[in-house]
Amino acid sequence: MGENGFRAEEIDTTKPHPARIYDYLLGGKDHYEVDREAGEQLVAAAPEARIGVRANRAFLRRAVRHVVGSGVRQILDIGTGLPTSPNVHETALEVAPDIRVAYVDNDPIVHAHTGDLLGPDGTTSTTGITSGILLADLRDPRAILDAPEVRAVIDFDEPVALLLAAVLHFLADTDKPQEIVATLRDALAPGSHLILSHATGDFADRSGAAAVYRKATAAMNLRTRTEIERFFDGFELIDPGVAQVPFWRPDTPPPPRSHEIGFYGGVARKSR
């Protein structure tokens, strides 16, 4: 048993993992040969993949700054992926000092790396930030909401920013993703926000890209804008609604080929 509560054999390095492919495309270092090979296959199938993941990351940072600027001081980041600087709590800290962040992911490697970032006990309270990390699966939202690691950081009687960035497309329709989001939504206090991004095939045939993930630990399920908008049921979308991620409130000129990027993103508020 490792320090982070899992056995080394639980880490499957024989198949690509979405978080590690994403890390490779972002230029990170926490991945294996199988992830690099999958990343290159993905770029061959979807040439805009690298700029797409970077645009998605930039969207996440803009969205976090927006919700923290609106007064939210708690963030529940599910499907956090491998730490990439600036990470969510660093981004939030740019706006306010009193931030609480709970990170959740189902990959033991993500859990280990994020745990190292936060400290030996899984939490840190430096510069006014309190954070925690939970190894759990989005398919069991109730377990996430009830987990002591989450409850130690998040007070669900106060507004929370729920982050579901580039994670729901790894749930099949049979996983009932809309019900999962609804369970999470119903646990949130009024004034909470949902930040969501999701892969799509609306702008090009990306069946080849989806095929790469069928060989990974999680398949990718591309959805249309209409299908993605349904995840925001019970929330009020803020302008500009669901948009390609480079065009959601850009603070710099969108990168070349932005119109090809197959990621939608949106931010919404729960009013009651």
Side-chain angles (χ1 to χ4, degrees), residues 178 196 198-203 221-233 237-245 247-248 262-266:
Q178 281 190 264
L196 184 151
H198 194 296
T200 184
D202 280 0
F203 307 103
N221 302 275
L222 302 173
R223 294 186 172 94
T224 66
R225 177 175 178 168
T226 299
E227 291 172 320
I228 294 165
E229 285 176 333
R230 294 190 188 116
F231 291 124
F232 291 96
D233 287 352
L237 279 162
I238 67 167
D239 289 337
V242 174
Q244 281 174 280
V245 288
F247 305 114
W248 192 92
F263 269 104
Y264 282 120

Side-chain angles (χ1 to χ4, degrees), residues 79 103 135 154 180 183 209 217 234-235:
Y103 292 108
L135 182 66
I154 302 296
I180 289 170
T183 297
T217 58
F235 293 91

Side-chain angles (χ1 to χ4, degrees), residues 86 88 90 130:
V88 167
E90 289 171 334
T130 300

Side-chain angles (χ1 to χ4, degrees), residues 64 68-69 71-75 88-101 124-131 153:
V64 167
V68 175
V72 176
R73 293 294 181 267
Q74 304 183 107
I75 300 173
V88 167
H89 69 259
E90 289 171 334
T91 300
L93 184 60
E94 296 171 6
V95 182
D98 52 338
I99 300 297
R100 305 172 69 86
V101 184
T124 184
S125 186
T126 59
T127 324
I129 293 178
T130 300
S131 302
V153 176

